[in-house]
Amino acid sequence: MHEMTIRVYYEDTDFGGVVYYANYLKFLERGRTEALRELGVDQVALKEAGLVFVVRKVVAEYLVPARFDDVLTVVTRVAWVRGASACMAQNIRRGGETLLSAEITIACMTLEGRPTRLPTEVRANLVQMQADS
C-alpha cells in the first residue's frame, strides 16, 4: 500500500469551491505514479524500451466532496495482476473519511498501441505490493 498527501488548490475546484470531478482523476494518477516509483518502476526507462502504461478502465464512486485547502491522502494498493494488466484500488481520504473510492485498470502497451506482457520485474513488484496490502 502506498499513501501520498495532496492539498486542494483553488484551481482544483469548481465555482462552488468543491473539487471538480475530473480533478480527482489527476489526484489518482499522481498516486499511482508515485506508488509505481516507490516500487522501483522507472516509467521513463520503460518508455525508452518501447513500453507504456495506459488506463484501460476507471470505476469511481464519489462519496463526499473535497473542498479548497483540504489536505487529502491518496491511498493506492494493487488489487490484482495479470499478464499484461493490473488493477489499482485507490481511495482519496480526508482524515479518516473516504471521499472517493476507485478501481483503475492499467495495461502495458507498446508504443505502437499493442498490448504486451508486463516486464517480469515490474510484474513481480506489483505482485509484491499486492501481497503487502
Side-chain angles (χ1 to χ4, degrees):
M1 182 174 67
H2 178 268
E3 294 186 2
M4 181 189 81
T5 301
I6 192 164
R7 181 175 298 275
V8 175
Y9 295 108
Y10 185 73
E11 68 186 23
D12 299 319
T13 63
D14 62 17
F15 186 69
V18 171
V19 171
Y20 182 66
Y21 79 97
N23 287 332
Y24 288 97
L25 297 175
K26 293 178 182 181
F27 301 160
L28 295 172
E29 176 71 32
R30 293 173 195 163
R32 284 192 313 281
T33 297
E34 293 304 321
L36 290 170
R37 186 184 322 277
E38 187 173 281
L39 284 174
V41 177
D42 182 345
Q43 292 192 67
V44 173
L46 280 177
K47 186 174 181 185
E48 289 170 354
L51 302 175
V52 292
F53 288 117
V54 298
V55 172
R56 185 171 178 277
K57 181 179 178 181
V58 176
V59 177
E61 185 173 9
Y62 298 86
L63 303 168
V64 179
R67 300 186 182 280
F68 171 70
D69 210 38
D70 282 351
V71 175
L72 308 176
T73 303
V74 180
V75 180
T76 304
R77 66 180 182 78
V78 177
W80 53 259
V81 181
R82 296 191 180 133
S85 61
C87 180
M88 310 295 270
Q90 294 185 275
N91 290 303
I92 296 179
R93 299 179 183 161
R94 180 180 51 221
E97 182 177 33
T98 300
L99 309 182
L100 178 136
S101 179
E103 288 190 353
I104 314 291
T105 301
I106 58 173
C108 188
M109 305 283 281
T110 66
L111 294 177
E112 294 77 32
R114 291 186 201 91
T116 189
R117 295 188 70 76
L118 292 164
T120 304
E121 184 178 337
V122 171
R123 186 178 193 292
N125 289 345
L126 289 168
V127 168
Q128 183 61 50
M129 184 181 189
Q130 180 184 14
D132 292 344
S133 294

